[in-house]
Amino acid sequence: MFKRSNRVVALGAAVIVGSMIFTACSGGSGSGGSGGGDAIKIGVVTKTDSNPFFVKIRESAKAAAESEGAELIALAGAFDGDNEGQVAAIENLVGQGVKGILITPNSSSGILNAIKQARDAGVIVIALDTATDPEDAVDATFATDNKQAGVLQGQWVRAALGDKTPQLAMLDGTPGGTVDTFRHDGFLEGAGITEGSSEIVGQADTNGDQTKAQTAMENLLQRAPGINALYTINEPAAAGGYEAIKSAGLTDQVTIGSIDGSCTGIENVKKGIIGATVLQFPAKMAEQGVQAVVQYAKDGTKPSGFNDTGSQLVTDKPVDGVESKDTAWGAENCWG
């Protein structure tokens, strides 16, 4: 249970973030109404309000809500891992009378009580990008199959090494998150490496942050200068890892893989900073989530289960046995 003083601060932060983004998106009619006051209200709660991936989710949700004549209220955690801020945001949205909440959970399990309270109040809750643990704590999930995305990264990195024995470093995200676990496990599966294998020479948590990843990689290289393969939780972590590798003069030694599909990330693949990345489709997550809430508001139909919004390996160095697209395709389909 959180202390009351902390919860008050978190709620205030959530409200401020929401007002900075966008509130009402349209004055169109909603379920059973004909005026702006009757518009279907939909909440979206992202991990942060700054990461381009979550910016894309909010922008796409806003556009989808406008097209449906709905009203979108967007809130966010103050930082990656801010579970308390997201709990406060959910409570705020329920108080505003939303029909549904779309959330990218900072904590796959820490948010469960707030989600249950929302659902008990008649609000459907849909996870975007990050599944809850257990998955059925929400009505439905619209997300990348993150384990499969990890598999694709792992398959490419292993094939790109050729006959070299992997000396793998892993720049992970945030401990306990389903995205982090699925991508990590998927990479190892794709690379044919088991957890605890001697081929893994170092691991570090980065929270997906470029600066933290650079520092972590500098430390890993000091302990294991023979690293020749790098798993990264996302493209900012890959960029940070690359900076450390470049400073050590090892860019020709280390093969880097990643996951995201941002336009910056695709450009980094084109430049050779990242060897390959797995592109996700955040707009699809947001659009399908909004449509599901509107459908529920209109006729009571609830979405259910896990809904894969797809992923695609992008590289200019294709390998046998792993289907990929080049960076020209990536530039046409990237986000951010």
Side-chain angles (χ1 to χ4, degrees):
M1 180 68 66
F2 297 115
K3 294 180 180 179
R4 179 177 176 81
S5 60
N6 290 340
R7 289 291 294 282
V8 171
V9 171
L11 178 57
V15 173
I16 291 170
V17 170
S19 66
M20 288 170 59
I21 306 168
F22 35 75
T23 51
C25 292
S26 173
S29 62
S31 177
S34 58
D38 294 321
I40 299 165
K41 290 184 178 180
I42 303 170
V44 59
V45 182
T46 50
K47 293 182 180 181
T48 70
D49 67 344
S50 56
N51 185 301
F53 185 87
F54 303 123
V55 171
K56 184 64 176 181
I57 283 180
R58 292 200 311 275
E59 290 176 345
S60 300
K62 176 179 184 289
E66 286 178 339
S67 70
E68 297 283 356
E71 176 183 339
L72 188 78
I73 305 167
L75 304 177
F79 53 88
D80 198 329
D82 181 18
N83 181 69
E84 187 174 349
Q86 289 197 318
V87 169
I90 289 174
E91 294 172 350
N92 180 303
L93 291 168
V94 172
Q96 293 194 56
V98 298
K99 281 290 186 180
I101 296 173
L102 315 177
I103 183 168
T104 61
N106 265 313
S107 171
S108 298
S109 57
I111 200 75
L112 298 186
N113 188 55
I115 289 174
K116 182 180 186 302
Q117 291 177 353
R119 294 178 73 188
D120 288 347
V123 178
I124 64 165
V125 181
I126 296 171
L128 304 182
D129 177 58
T130 304
T132 52
D133 184 14
E135 191 175 288
D136 62 3
V138 291
D139 291 281
T141 301
F142 292 88
T144 304
D145 182 339
N146 280 291
K147 185 171 184 182
Q148 177 58 22
V151 167
L152 290 173
Q153 185 188 161
Q155 288 176 333
W156 183 87
V157 168
R158 185 59 183 262
L161 287 175
D163 59 2
K164 298 175 185 175
T165 299
Q167 294 189 51
L168 173 67
M170 305 190 76
L171 294 181
D172 288 305
T174 302
T178 52
V179 167
D180 310 272
T181 301
F182 291 156
R183 291 183 183 181
H184 176 105
D185 293 350
F187 179 92
L188 293 180
E189 179 181 316
I193 299 172
T194 58
E195 193 72 69
S197 167
S198 61
E199 293 171 310
I200 304 173
V201 297
Q203 297 176 240
D205 295 323
T206 68
N207 299 111
D209 178 79
Q210 181 169 339
T211 301
K212 290 181 180 178
Q214 181 172 346
T215 300
M217 192 66 198
E218 289 168 351
N219 293 334
L220 290 173
L221 285 169
Q222 288 178 1
R223 298 198 300 265
I227 290 169
N228 62 10
L230 178 61
Y231 157 82
T232 62
I233 183 65
N234 63 8
E235 290 162 356
Y242 173 82
E243 287 301 319
I245 292 165
K246 183 174 71 171
S247 294
L250 299 175
T251 54
D252 291 336
Q253 174 180 300
V254 185
T255 298
I256 304 174
S258 198
I259 299 172
D260 259 350
S262 70
C263 294
T264 299
I266 296 298
E267 182 64 20
N268 281 345
V269 173
K270 184 177 181 179
K271 291 177 178 177
I273 292 171
I274 304 172
T277 194
V278 182
L279 187 147
Q280 304 179 88
F281 300 96
K284 289 184 180 180
M285 301 176 195
E287 291 162 1
Q288 293 176 18
V290 166
Q291 291 163 3
V293 174
V294 170
Q295 188 68 34
Y296 168 69
K298 288 180 175 178
D299 63 16
T301 301
K302 288 187 176 183
S304 63
F306 179 83
N307 301 269
D308 181 12
T309 51
S311 60
Q312 175 63 55
L313 183 74
V314 177
T315 183
D316 288 331
K317 300 176 180 178
V319 296
D320 291 340
V322 186
E323 194 274 329
S324 64
K325 301 285 189 181
D326 63 18
T327 55
W329 181 93
E332 293 176 354
N333 291 274
C334 63
W335 47 264

